[in-house]
Structures are given as structure tokens and as C-alpha cells.
Amino acid sequence: MSKYCRDLRVNSVRKLSDKHVLLKLTHDNPLPQMCPGQFVEVRVDNSPNTFLRRPISVNDVDVSKNELWLLVAAVGEGTRRLCQLQEGDSLNCLFPLGNCFTSAEQLRNKRVLLIGGGVGVAPLLYQGRKLAELGNKPSFLLGARSEKDLLELEYFEKLGSVYITTEDFSKGEKGFVTDHSILRDAYFDFIQTCGPKPMMMSVARYAMAHHIECEASLENLMACGLGACLCCVEKTVSGNRCVCTDGPVFNIERLLW
């Protein structure tokens, strides 16, 4: 798949919480094809201490509006600057990067559970929409610290069944995602997950114990996004692999978890 470096225009900015912003980006020319699981390396301008691009998951692609959605969490100087972008601003993006989740077409007849935590829900929206478009209603299991940290619920609820856990019991069931009763009450053929590494490791243990095929989208620190700097290396059964090029999506059987 070809890679592009383009200045995209900010079509809209929506503040989802005190530290989360949904950016919708467009271009005068049609955006290239992107698939769920891939990511974008964005250049952060007007941030003197931000020297490297920041990796952001593809949240969704609206072909009808020629829009790329990016869900940004303000966790450092660079991402805080991104959250300050306004409609009409320009954002330089290198994309699409990385590999993809197993496609909706390959999962057409399977019962799929998409598990996300925090801003890790971002790539699951695009994957869920692809599944729903093929008539395969996905299930979403979303976890957060509290109700105010749950992101894009209205979009997920349009695509499939949504199950929620919060650590403070402000919405859904109390605890972590692997504590939710849906994991005891229903069976799934395939799990795809993204979020904090401890959460994904817990999901991987559940999947292995129940003989469910599972993919995890890793969120290792990245710099170049092209496999040159080696700062995102993950240990796998076949040696060290760059998450930006060999991933970010890995079958859990490849990971030394």
C-alpha cells in the first residue's frame, strides 16, 4: 500500500472530554485507501519542544465526505498542541502506516468482539463500521476509569452491541474489561483489542484460555513510523519486530506475553 505525505485541512474539531479531541481532516484530492488498524504520523507545528511526529490511529474514514478521523488524547506537549487545532488549520500527515486488523470480509461469518480501553477504542470504530457494513453486527466491550472517560459511545452504539466497564462503577459494570459478565455469558470466535498494554495482556490471557483467536493493536512509543529508529521494537516468537512496520496489529500467538 502506497504512503503519502500531505497537508490535510481540519474540517472540524469536536471536544469529547477535558483531554480528548476528535479531528476530522480532509483534502482537495481524494484520500488514499486506508484500512482499520493503520495509523498516521502527524507533524506537530508551533511546538518548539516537539521534534518528532506523533503516531495517531486511524479512527474512521468517511469516504462520502473525504474525511479522515483522528482521536487525539492530550498527554504531552505535542498532543496538547494537536488538541488546540482549529477548523481551517493545516496538519501535515504521513499515512497510511502499519498493517491492518483481519478484514471484515474475512470475519464475515464470525462472532467478533472488539475490546478497547481509553483512547485505545479509536481503531475499533473503523473496524466495527466495516463489519457492520457487511451485515456482521459486532460487539464492543469498552473500558474506562469513569463515565466521563468513555469516548464516542454514540458512534459505537450505531454499529453493534456495546458493553461497558468503569473502574469507579459510574457506568456499566464495575472493574476492568476482563471482569465484564459478557465474557462469561457469550461466546465469540474472534477478538480484536487495543488499549493499555496491561489490559491487552489480560485480554490475551482470556482469549488463550478459551481458545479464541485474538489480535492486539500495540501502542509502543514510536518516532519515525517507518522502521528506521527502532524505538518501537517488541519481542516476538520470531525475534524483535518493529511495531510500526510489522504491526501495530499482531496475532497474540506471535507475542511473548
Side-chain angles (χ1 to χ4, degrees):
M1 187 177 292
S2 299
K3 299 176 178 61
Y4 300 81
C5 187
R6 290 182 178 175
D7 289 322
L8 302 185
R9 183 174 64 256
V10 179
N11 236 11
S12 71
V13 181
R14 180 184 173 194
K15 188 173 183 180
L16 302 183
S17 75
D18 291 340
K19 61 178 182 179
H20 297 97
V21 166
L22 174 60
L23 300 176
K24 297 184 180 182
L25 311 173
T26 191
H27 194 269
D28 291 337
N29 297 319
L31 293 171
Q33 180 181 353
M34 290 168 269
C35 63
Q38 290 188 300
F39 67 98
V40 178
E41 283 274 323
V42 301
R43 190 181 71 204
V44 184
D45 297 328
N46 302 315
S47 180
N49 296 318
T50 306
F51 303 104
L52 302 172
R53 290 177 180 263
R54 293 294 185 263
I56 308 291
S57 295
V58 173
N59 181 214
D60 202 357
V61 178
D62 187 335
V63 176
S64 66
K65 296 182 179 179
N66 197 39
E67 285 183 340
L68 163 64
W69 294 16
L70 300 181
L71 180 58
V72 182
V75 295
E77 182 176 338
T79 47
R80 284 196 296 270
R81 172 58 191 159
L82 293 176
C83 288
Q84 294 169 0
L85 289 169
Q86 298 180 6
E87 185 176 332
D89 286 346
S90 178
L91 184 63
N92 185 268
C93 297
L94 177 63
F95 68 110
L97 301 174
N99 66 355
C100 313
F101 286 117
T102 294
S103 70
E105 289 81 3
Q106 293 173 277
L107 299 174
R108 186 186 292 268
N109 298 315
K110 295 184 181 294
R111 290 165 290 186
V112 182
L113 177 63
L114 306 176
I115 303 180
V119 75
V121 304
L124 305 183
L125 180 64
Y126 191 18
Q127 177 71 344
R129 188 171 63 76
K130 288 288 190 181
L131 288 163
E133 287 175 351
L134 291 179
N136 185 356
K137 184 179 178 181
S139 295
F140 300 97
L141 176 51
L142 310 177
R145 291 181 179 177
S146 66
E147 181 177 9
K148 65 181 178 61
D149 298 311
L150 292 164
L151 305 170
E152 301 187 313
L153 281 184
E154 70 273 28
Y155 298 124
F156 287 108
E157 288 170 345
K158 292 178 181 178
L159 301 175
S161 302
V162 178
Y163 305 92
I164 292 170
T165 64
T166 51
E167 295 177 31
D168 66 357
F169 204 16
S170 53
K171 189 174 181 65
E173 296 186 11
K174 180 177 174 59
F176 303 116
V177 288
T178 46
D179 297 323
H180 199 285
S181 60
I182 190 64
L183 297 180
R184 300 188 299 273
D185 298 341
Y187 176 79
F188 298 94
D189 300 302
F190 209 107
I191 293 174
Q192 293 170 323
T193 185
C194 184
K197 189 171 184 178
M199 183 210 80
M200 290 194 292
M201 293 177 70
S202 182
V203 170
R205 287 192 293 269
Y206 168 84
M208 288 179 177
H210 292 81
H211 308 289
I212 301 171
E213 192 166 359
C214 179
E215 291 174 338
S217 179
L218 274 55
E219 296 185 316
N220 295 30
L221 290 174
M222 295 183 190
C224 71
L226 299 170
C229 67
L230 304 180
C231 77
C232 66
V233 165
E234 178 77 16
K235 292 181 179 179
T236 74
V237 295
S238 55
N240 292 337
R241 292 289 181 266
C242 288
V243 169
C244 64
T245 52
D246 291 294
V249 179
F250 289 85
N251 189 294
I252 60 169
E253 293 181 353
R254 293 184 60 196
L255 300 171
L256 296 176
W257 286 359

